[in-house]
Amino acid sequence: MADPKNEGFLTYAYLLLYIALSSGQIFFNKWVLSSKEINFPYPLALTLLHMVFSSVVCFVLTKVLKVLKVEEGMTPEIYATSVVPIGAMFAMTLWLGNTAYLYISVAFAQMLKAIMPVAVFVLGVAVGLEVMSCKMLLIMSLISFGVLVASYGEINISWIGVVYQMGGVVGEALRLIFMEIFVKRKGLKLNPISVMYYVSPCSALCLFLPWIFLERSKMDDHGSWNFPPVLLILNCLCTFALNLSVFLVITHTSALTIRVAGVVKDWVVVLLSAALFADTKLTTINLFGYGIAIAGVAAYNNFKLKKEASRDPSDASELVESTQRQQSQPLTSR
């Protein structure tokens, strides 16, 4: 029988690992893309490399070394009608989200991401997955008001960056809706490793086509093919390690713990970015607005957890899977 103390220690270790890797990956991407640091302003290329790396590593781990298992049940029909649209939205989310870092600070981008539950809920109502109620309307209004206040307090606001970030939010909301419609309704249960295995190649293809037309010529003209390979590999490894940490957290913790860890990670990113990046200038209005938005997100999480638990309290695995689908940020760009 497992020692409860050891299990508790491992749970906290996995949570700290997830928070560290998730925050670190965001900072790493910003550092690579920033013109003041590495000077690799090609978010499409960077995201494409992440997807290609994940595709190759997933294939090696599952099919060659066979140290990880991919969930069975995938058919060509399900892949074409479910994985392809999910992969396309995933690619859109990562591309636009990383592009936003060229124009706005990490902290402000994180504040804008707090609007995610609103986008998911509105789209869910539109397709019949959610039902509008006075309580949910109040929660959505609270989150929206908080994000507006945080935006008002931003000193160096770039509307181009805001548009890119909001586009990424819409793409992620659509991905989550597609996961709910195409995967859950077809009875296909996928763990994070399986999602990476199936979705990464599709996302890579979706990113490759626009990269050819939008960034390849710029990279050729500026000689950006000399990007340090060691740094590139480390960035990709950090991305893959983040996905593995998500897998560990989901399999060893509760749904509530995962959501609390997500909120803690958001605050870590906002506060640390002010110390790490010169373009981040936090104001009292920024933090006040973000605090309001996070309070709304916490209320939303609590409402969804109670709703899921009331359906079948004994089915803990379904509750955790639901939490994974509703996480506010894509796995490989957290």
Side-chain angles (χ1 to χ4, degrees):
M1 186 175 180
D3 188 345
K5 290 184 178 180
N6 291 335
E7 289 186 356
F9 174 78
L10 285 176
T11 297
Y12 285 115
Y14 292 144
L15 288 172
L16 289 174
L17 179 65
Y18 161 70
I19 293 172
L21 287 173
S22 184
S23 305
Q25 182 62 36
I26 292 174
F27 297 146
F28 204 167
N29 285 349
K30 173 68 174 180
W31 185 54
V32 169
L33 295 169
S34 175
S35 59
K36 298 178 182 179
E37 303 292 344
I38 298 300
N39 192 24
F40 187 77
Y42 306 104
L44 254 176
L46 183 64
T47 310
L48 174 59
L49 287 169
H50 287 170
M51 291 296 95
V52 171
F53 187 86
S54 291
S55 300
V56 173
V57 174
C58 280
F59 179 81
V60 171
L61 291 179
T62 59
K63 300 301 181 180
V64 179
L65 300 179
K66 297 182 179 181
V67 295
L68 295 174
K69 182 181 179 182
V70 175
E71 299 291 336
E72 302 295 335
M74 183 63 66
T75 65
E77 185 271 335
I78 293 178
Y79 193 91
T81 60
S82 303
V83 175
V84 170
I86 291 171
M89 289 302 100
F90 195 30
M92 172 183 167
T93 299
L94 298 175
W95 169 21
L96 297 181
N98 282 331
T99 302
Y101 291 144
L102 297 176
Y103 302 94
I104 59 178
S105 67
V106 169
F108 186 46
Q110 203 69 22
M111 292 177 186
L112 292 175
K113 288 176 185 178
I115 202 74
M116 178 65 68
V118 177
V120 174
F121 183 74
V122 170
L123 289 173
V125 171
V127 299
L129 293 177
E130 300 283 357
V131 178
M132 181 61 74
S133 65
C134 292
K135 185 173 183 178
M136 286 304 294
L137 181 61
L138 178 61
I139 292 174
M140 296 301 109
S141 300
L142 183 64
I143 295 174
S144 300
F145 176 72
V147 172
L148 285 174
V149 172
S151 301
Y152 179 78
E154 180 66 13
I155 297 176
N156 301 314
I157 190 169
S158 168
W159 291 108
I160 296 177
V162 171
V163 170
Y164 274 120
Q165 187 59 64
M166 289 297 98
V169 167
V170 172
E172 175 64 0
L174 287 172
R175 183 186 75 87
L176 293 173
I177 294 296
F178 288 164
M179 284 285 287
E180 188 77 13
I181 295 175
F182 296 140
V183 177
K184 184 179 179 182
R185 288 187 176 180
K186 292 183 179 181
L188 188 63
K189 293 185 177 181
L190 299 176
N191 60 37
I193 300 300
S194 299
V195 171
M196 278 196 296
Y197 176 81
Y198 291 121
V199 172
S200 294
C202 178
S203 296
L205 180 60
C206 292
L207 290 165
F208 179 75
L209 297 177
W211 173 76
I212 289 292
F213 296 102
L214 297 177
E215 287 188 356
R216 182 178 179 180
S217 59
K218 295 179 182 178
M219 293 176 68
D220 288 336
D221 294 340
H222 292 84
S224 294
W225 294 99
N226 295 322
F227 182 71
V230 175
L231 199 60
L232 177 64
I233 293 173
L234 286 175
N235 186 262
C236 292
L237 279 174
C238 186
T239 298
F240 191 78
L242 170 59
N243 285 280
L244 289 180
S245 73
V246 172
F247 176 73
L248 292 173
V249 169
I250 287 174
T251 54
H252 290 86
T253 65
S254 68
L256 177 60
T257 304
I258 296 170
R259 299 215 179 206
V260 171
V263 172
V264 172
K265 182 266 300 180
D266 292 342
W267 275 108
V268 168
V269 171
V270 169
L271 297 177
L272 273 184
S273 63
L276 296 175
F277 299 103
D279 65 346
T280 301
K281 305 293 183 184
L282 294 177
T283 66
T284 303
I285 298 177
N286 268 149
L287 296 175
F288 178 69
Y290 189 53
I292 294 174
I294 288 298
V297 172
Y300 171 80
N301 288 340
N302 183 61
F303 179 85
K304 295 297 291 184
L305 287 170
K306 287 183 177 180
K307 183 179 178 181
E308 291 289 341
S310 65
R311 290 177 182 173
D312 187 359
S314 63
D315 194 353
S317 61
E318 177 65 22
L319 183 57
V320 172
E321 287 175 6
S322 175
T323 297
Q324 178 206 348
R325 289 192 298 272
Q326 294 162 3
Q327 286 294 294
S328 62
Q329 298 165 52
L331 297 179
T332 55
S333 67
R334 293 171 189 260

